[in-house]
Amino acid sequence: MTIGRILFATDFSRHAQTAYLYALSLAQAHGAGLDILHVCCEGDWSEEDSEACTRLKAEFSAYAEGQMARYQAPLKAAITDVRTHVVFGRRASQEVARCAGEWGVDLVVAGSRGTGGLKRWIYGSTLDRMLKLLSKPVLSVTERPDLAVDPADPATYVRFQRILVPVDFSECSLSAVRMARGLGTPAGSVIQLLHVLEDVFPIGFDVGMVVPFPNFHEGRLAGARQRLQTVADGLAGYAGTVTTEVVPGVSALEILDRAQEGGSDLIVMGLHGRDFTGERFIGAVTDKVIRHAACPVVTMTCPLECP
């Protein structure tokens, strides 16, 4: 997958600062253009046609432009195609989705605050809403104060050396495999293909209870390993190393454990949940991985025809 243009959505928070470092690293590595977008969320005051509202809007714009200048100044030597945008809208997620579509970007990068609890359940997070609306891959980045990247020095930019790709054999996860190949380093990163075999117990119809069929789990493991190896074979010619692993367990926990134990610096996974209206929703596995992974996570949107 070719990355020709990247959209970095920022609210100027410390979480966005980390996402910015990843966005510029990817733009430099792929020779991509970089759009930096800030959305000033309008309230009811924006509909008032008054001098005070006009002045307030101008102050918001001036502040945002000043912050944008801080992003743009160090990039001239590393990235030549950088554009900054300040727009007004009701919701940041809607404006990001609109701009991503109109500008033809290939990847959206945004910071994740890791919001949880009752507030997140009631209102949802901006990132949640973005994932539902966007048809582009999204790189979600949590704050990393230890990230030693100097925007003025491309030699310090982030390079993904170990990429973990959970595969459930859906079209979304296969798209994630292709995306991981594109995000690897020119010399070839290590791509770790992981399939988690959730516990399934066959039911004995005669007694309506769990029956331990001989070789049932062994057969499932063997079948999953064969399918995963077929996926790996599709990466023939890749410059790096491709490994495969099939493990039994709970998907989210195994993905997080393997990412931590294997020293993964990126997770790429499919996002293919939909509710009864056909709208995308973030499945439990993806949600847990995004909020708890120590490394950034790229989510790939599934085409509408995928189950």
Side-chain angles (χ1 to χ4, degrees):
M1 181 175 181
T2 302
I3 300 177
R5 188 143 216 100
I6 296 172
L7 171 58
F8 163 52
T10 178
D11 60 0
F12 307 128
S13 66
R14 62 182 187 275
H15 309 83
Q17 176 63 24
T18 303
Y20 161 69
L21 299 177
Y22 278 95
L24 69 89
S25 295
L26 285 168
Q28 193 272 340
H30 293 269
L34 179 62
D35 287 290
I36 305 176
L37 171 67
H38 175 70
V39 180
C40 295
C41 293
E42 298 175 322
D44 294 336
W45 57 267
S46 64
E47 298 177 358
E48 298 291 335
D49 186 15
S50 67
E51 182 179 346
C53 290
T54 301
R55 184 171 62 252
L56 186 59
K57 196 169 184 177
E59 289 175 358
F60 282 170
S61 295
Y63 170 77
E65 293 291 353
Q67 294 295 314
M68 288 293 194
R70 293 174 51 203
Y71 284 136
Q72 195 172 15
L75 300 183
K76 295 179 180 178
I79 304 172
T80 57
D81 185 6
V82 181
R83 302 184 303 198
T84 60
H85 315 266
V86 177
V87 301
F88 284 79
R90 285 288 182 179
R91 277 195 167 181
S93 54
Q94 293 174 346
E95 292 302 318
V96 171
R98 178 184 64 80
C99 293
E102 291 180 359
W103 300 341
V105 303
D106 302 299
L107 177 68
V108 176
V109 181
S112 171
R113 294 175 178 268
T115 304
L118 184 62
K119 179 180 178 181
R120 183 173 182 271
W121 181 74
I122 295 175
Y123 299 107
S125 70
T126 298
L127 181 61
D128 286 348
R129 292 191 290 268
M130 283 173 53
L131 292 175
K132 292 178 182 179
L133 294 172
L134 283 162
S135 59
K136 308 291 184 180
V138 179
L139 173 62
S140 308
V141 182
T142 54
E143 182 187 9
R144 286 191 56 189
D146 61 328
L147 192 63
V149 174
D150 179 0
D153 183 6
T156 66
Y157 285 6
V158 177
R159 297 291 181 261
F160 298 123
Q161 302 295 336
R162 301 187 68 85
I163 304 175
L164 177 65
V165 187
V167 179
D168 62 4
F169 307 116
S170 66
E171 181 57 36
C172 298
S173 65
L174 298 181
S175 295
V177 173
R178 294 189 288 270
M179 184 68 175
R181 178 174 186 164
L183 290 172
T185 62
S189 305
V190 176
I191 295 180
Q192 304 162 283
L193 303 181
L194 172 69
H195 177 72
V196 181
L197 205 61
E198 296 273 2
D199 290 332
V200 176
F201 298 96
I203 304 299
F205 294 100
D206 53 341
V207 294
M209 61 184 294
V210 174
V211 178
F213 285 89
N215 303 321
F216 175 74
H217 294 292
E218 290 78 4
R220 293 181 67 227
L221 282 169
R225 290 190 182 107
Q226 184 175 5
R227 294 184 69 185
L228 194 60
Q229 185 57 50
T230 300
V231 175
D233 292 342
L235 293 173
Y238 175 64
T241 302
V242 180
T243 66
T244 62
E245 184 178 14
V246 177
V247 296
V250 179
S251 294
L253 297 180
E254 293 299 332
I255 292 169
L256 292 169
D257 285 347
R258 288 303 185 277
Q260 183 174 5
E261 293 172 3
S264 302
D265 43 31
L266 180 68
I267 299 173
V268 186
M269 60 192 304
L271 174 70
H272 56 89
R274 279 184 169 74
D275 61 18
F276 66 93
T277 67
E279 184 181 78
R280 299 185 190 97
F281 70 89
I282 305 171
V285 174
T286 306
D287 178 64
K288 286 185 175 66
V289 172
I290 290 175
R291 288 197 291 126
H292 297 292
C295 63
V297 180
V298 173
T299 49
M300 302 291 297
T301 302
C302 190
L304 289 173
E305 62 271 16
C306 290

